Amino acid sequence: MSGAQAESAADHQPLDTSAARSGLAALGATVVLGAALGALGGWLWWRWWGPAPSGRIYRTDAGPAWYPDPFDPGVARDFSGTAEYVVLALGLGVLLGLVGGWLARRRPLAGLGAVLLGGVIAAALSTVIGQAQSPPDPQEKAKEVAIGTRLPGHLSLAQAQIGPEGSTVGVTVPWLMWPVAGSAGFLVVMLALGSTERRAQLATSLPTAQGSGMPLPPREV
């Protein structure tokens, strides 16, 4: 290697290292943002849903069971917890994708991975933090207390039962809202940046084409 080539390689190495560190910092910041938004989402989820509805323990053929009292408003509150979680996950997930897309705009594939990872962490944290503020599941205490005992309800997420009858598995579909919304926000940023770069390239190519006498490209309408 000649002296000039060695000097050129030495000049570019610090720049490459700095760019790599900057890229890793952007990816890390995206994941940390996902965790922060997940914690915020869990806190907001409980604040939106609470206080927990009241209910009592009833005697049934299957054994003691907790039901809300009054029944209809309590059941509606139970389902509203899932709906409120979905709304928060969609809104905060899109915010995660938008910010993450901007931070990792120079590393789109790695940035998308960071957004998805941040979304998974957010889904877990929002659920744990939201339910940690709620009273415990009253059904778990049904056999420990007397029939007719009043207990508050529990903040929970509805699950979809998947699989053959008799061996179904519960899947918490609302958790998917975080990574799905994050991917959508990330895609919006990537499309916007791509459109901006194409317009900038077109604007810089017009003066060059005019000065060289080459035919101009058609203008966008």
Side-chain angles (χ1 to χ4, degrees), residues 169-196:
V169 177
V171 178
T172 309
V173 178
W175 285 344
L176 298 177
M177 297 302 104
W178 281 98
V180 169
S183 300
F186 186 87
L187 179 61
V188 169
V189 174
M190 292 297 103
L191 291 176
L193 291 176
S195 177
T196 302

Side-chain angles (χ1 to χ4, degrees), residues 205-214 216:
S205 65
L206 286 177
T208 303
Q210 289 175 346
S212 62
M214 296 174 58
L216 298 178

